[in-house]
């Protein structure tokens, strides 16, 4: 059931200096706070993983069994679903509810993706939505493509992330025993689910070599990471803004294809409670919605939240950039009154 009120996304309008000044009190933001405190452990680990991943790509074409590559692609999809349908849509945004078996499946998938525990991931993500594009946003896209893509994982967080993040309510997730279990035993569960079992399975099931199985699995992991990170970087920088032209998040098809439907980011930041994270019901560009709909059909997912067409239309006309495919500025079928209303709002803003 769609709620009939618009939830503030916490997004600041670039032009609104007063709002920005209120959100980031001058005493909190000092130029020195942005000084990078590099975490060399992470830099070295990511450099190593990327080198192995590149070798994994070579092995896929040079000597690995085809089954190993197909298996890696399937694991990429399953792990990604643990992030998109799990950590993101179910747990960070509560955009639908899931029964215990589905929550267990999603937690297993999520652990295969190693993007930190659901509780840690969701805390950062709730902070990201509430303080988007400010220093309190863990991957503040105003600090550039590299920082929002991966740089933020290679240095200490800005003090604002921790200070303002303290105010985020996470009690709903701590109360879920499945998530509490994952969080508590993460450093045991994650290596097993993300690295050990995915490497052993091809070796035992179809006699793949250790090197092939290991390197191709690392490639699968790095691919999942980059697909996810692109939502923070590319989808915050490039694309149209049919729903809200005042925010950075944009509609990005390439990111949607790689990230199983998570690149429709202008829509998502405007209507974060929609389980589809997009207006589009097309499963080809939103595999995560297909997954949730499937489980809704068998009764494992329920109370799916979405947004009424009327609410979308009003928002498009009030704050969109004119690129919406139905209610954009150059649509011949659009009633003249709609143009008039929209232009008046345009002038006011
Ligand atoms: C990874 C995550 O890759 C990727 C997330 C991307 C999110 C994308 C979202 C886009 C939308 C959804 C689309 C999904 C698409 C999926 C597509 C799939 C194909 N609030 O963190 P620490 C406090 S992970 C409140 O250590 P440092 C807190 O007290 C990759 N408080 O900060 C905390 O203590 P505790 C693998 C906060 O020391 C304490 O600070 N993982 C918050 O500055 C210390 O926290 C890695 O590589 C907050 N938000 O270190 C690990 N944050 O936790 C990488 C912190 O005890 N991480 N506090 O409560 C690290 O090594 C470190 O976090 C660090 C920062 C070095 C980056
Ligand atoms: Zn979100
Ligand atoms: Zn975002």
């Amino acid at each position: 059931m769609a709620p009939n009120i618009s939830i503030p996304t916490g997004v600041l309008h670039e032009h609104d200096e007063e709002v920005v000044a209120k959100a980031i009190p001058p005493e909190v933001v000092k130029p020195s706070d942005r000084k990078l405190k590099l975490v060399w452990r992470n830099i070295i680990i990511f450099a190593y993983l990327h080198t192995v991943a590149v070798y994994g790509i070579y092995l896929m074409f040079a000597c690995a069994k085809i089954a190993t590559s197909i298996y890696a692609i399937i694991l990429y999809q399953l792990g990604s679903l643990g992030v998109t349908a799990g950590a993101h849509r179910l747990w960070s945004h509560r955009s639908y509810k899931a029964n215990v078996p589905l929550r267990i499946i999603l937690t297993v998938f999520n652990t295969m993706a190693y993007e930190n525990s659901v509780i840690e991931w969701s805390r950062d993500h709730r902070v990201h939505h509430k303080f988007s594009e400010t220093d309190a946003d863990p991957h503040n896209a105003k600090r550039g493509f590299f920082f929002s893509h991966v740089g933020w994982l290679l240095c200490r967080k800005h003090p604002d992330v921790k200070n303002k993040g303290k105010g985020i309510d996470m009690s709903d997730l701590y109360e879920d025993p499945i998530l509490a279990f994952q969080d508590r035993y993460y450093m045991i569960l994650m290596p097993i689910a993300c690295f050990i079992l995915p490497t052993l399975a091809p070796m035992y099931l179809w006699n793949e070599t250790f090197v092939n199985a290991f390197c191709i699995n690392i490639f699968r992991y790095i691919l999942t990471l980059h697909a996810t990170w692109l939502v923070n970087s590319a989808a915050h920088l490039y694309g149209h803004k049919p729903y809200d032209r005042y925010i950075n998040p944009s509609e990005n098809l390439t990111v949607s294809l790689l990230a199983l439907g998570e690149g429709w980011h202008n829509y998502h930041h405007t209507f974060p409670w929609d389980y589809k994270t997009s207006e589009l019901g097309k499963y080809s560009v939103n595999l995560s919605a297909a997954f949730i709909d499937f489980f809704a059909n068998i009764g494992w997912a329920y109370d799916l939240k979405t947004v009424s067409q009327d609410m979308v239309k009003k928002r498009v006309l009030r704050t969109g950039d004119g690129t919406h495919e139905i209610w954009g500025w150059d649509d011949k079928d659009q009633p003249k009154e709609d143009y008039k209303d929209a232009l008046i709002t345009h002038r006011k803003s």
Side-chain angles (χ1 to χ4, degrees), residues 59 195-196 199-200 203 207-216:
L59 293 175
F195 299 110
I196 298 173
T199 304
L200 290 181
M203 292 169 64
N207 290 323
E208 184 55 276
T209 65
F210 168 76
V211 172
N212 286 353
F214 177 77
C215 297
I216 292 171

Side-chain angles (χ1 to χ4, degrees), residues 180-197:
F181 180 84
Q182 189 215 32
D183 193 58
R184 183 154 186 203
Y185 296 105
Y186 196 67
M187 290 319 287
I188 298 169
L189 300 172
M190 175 278 291
I192 296 172
C194 182
F195 299 110
I196 298 173
L197 289 181

Side-chain angles (χ1 to χ4, degrees), residues 294-308:
F294 169 79
F295 281 101
N297 281 333
I298 61 168
W300 290 24
Y302 52 100
D303 288 355
L304 276 54
K305 292 184 201 155
T306 185
V307 183
S308 73

